[in-house]
Amino acid sequence: MLFRSHPELHHNLLQVRRIAMHDAFARAGMTQADELIEQSLKVFMAARNEVTFYPEVTDCLARLSQRYALASLTNGNADITQMSIAPHFKAVVSAHTHGTSKPDPAIFHMTCRELGCEPHEVLHVGDDADLDVRGARDAGLHAIWMNRDNAAWAGNDAPDTVRDLLELEWWLAKAA
């Protein structure tokens, strides 16, 4: 319902949460809740950035960043610049700060510009078949599906697939 009434916010989950909280407080009779909502969102964002990484992530990102310019592209609102892995990334692109979200080709192209690359020079690795894989392909990038759950691909256009970053390293070494 909220997305239908505010389609312009589809890319800004933090603002969606803010509006939902305003609505909930208003229904409870609390019309002057702005300060409480902002404090709640600060607590949420701090907790949102406390991420437990898969076991291989930190070491693999360290190795990969020595050979490749890495970018983080997210529709979510976690702030990678607040995480221990931040130094491994040359670029950080998030939907809520760029005004559009995956699978829109524009956000993939923004990421390419941040990296100083053309789309055909960029490999996008993501776990969502439509938002990441098909979105990247539609934007002219090569895409790899990070399929940690061994899900079945729907369709005839199956991408290259890896289970984790260790397999991605192997795939990149083989492709080189």
Side-chain angles (χ1 to χ4, degrees):
M1 172 88 167
L2 190 55
F3 281 128
R4 273 188 255 130
S5 60
H6 294 282
E8 76 281 4
L9 297 178
H10 190 73
H11 64 277
N12 191 336
L13 297 178
L14 191 59
Q15 186 63 17
V16 168
R17 285 181 176 91
R18 184 176 283 115
I19 291 170
M21 290 176 76
H22 272 285
D23 290 349
F25 281 114
R27 282 193 306 276
M30 297 176 63
T31 57
Q32 301 297 321
D34 289 350
E35 187 176 324
L36 180 59
I37 289 169
E38 292 309 313
Q39 289 173 354
S40 298
L41 289 172
K42 284 181 185 176
V43 169
F44 168 78
M45 287 305 298
R48 179 67 185 95
N49 291 325
E50 292 178 15
V51 175
T52 301
F53 300 109
Y54 289 101
E56 84 284 0
V57 167
T58 303
D59 291 340
C60 286
L61 287 176
R63 288 189 300 270
L64 289 167
S65 68
Q66 296 300 310
R67 296 194 60 178
Y68 306 99
L70 302 181
S72 169
L73 169 57
T74 183
N75 282 356
N77 51 21
D79 184 357
I80 202 166
T81 66
Q82 302 298 311
M83 298 176 195
S84 62
I85 59 172
H88 303 304
F89 292 89
K90 178 180 179 182
V92 176
V93 177
S94 56
H96 72 276
T97 59
H98 285 78
T100 188
S101 57
K102 298 180 285 183
D104 184 347
I107 198 161
F108 289 98
H109 294 158
M110 286 179 211
T111 306
C112 293
R113 282 192 299 277
E114 291 286 324
L115 289 170
C117 297
E118 294 297 320
H120 70 273
E121 299 172 314
V122 175
L123 170 65
H124 179 79
V125 180
D127 63 359
D128 188 282
D130 292 320
L131 300 179
D132 289 307
V133 177
R134 291 186 176 103
R137 285 175 169 177
D138 289 347
L141 287 70
H142 183 76
I144 291 185
W145 187 26
M146 176 76 69
N147 182 4
R148 289 185 182 269
D149 300 322
N150 201 29
W153 180 262
N156 297 326
D157 59 344
D160 291 319
T161 303
V162 297
R163 285 186 302 237
D164 56 31
L165 288 180
L166 289 169
E167 267 192 31
L168 176 64
E169 284 185 294
W170 176 83
W171 185 94
L172 288 166
K174 187 176 119 182

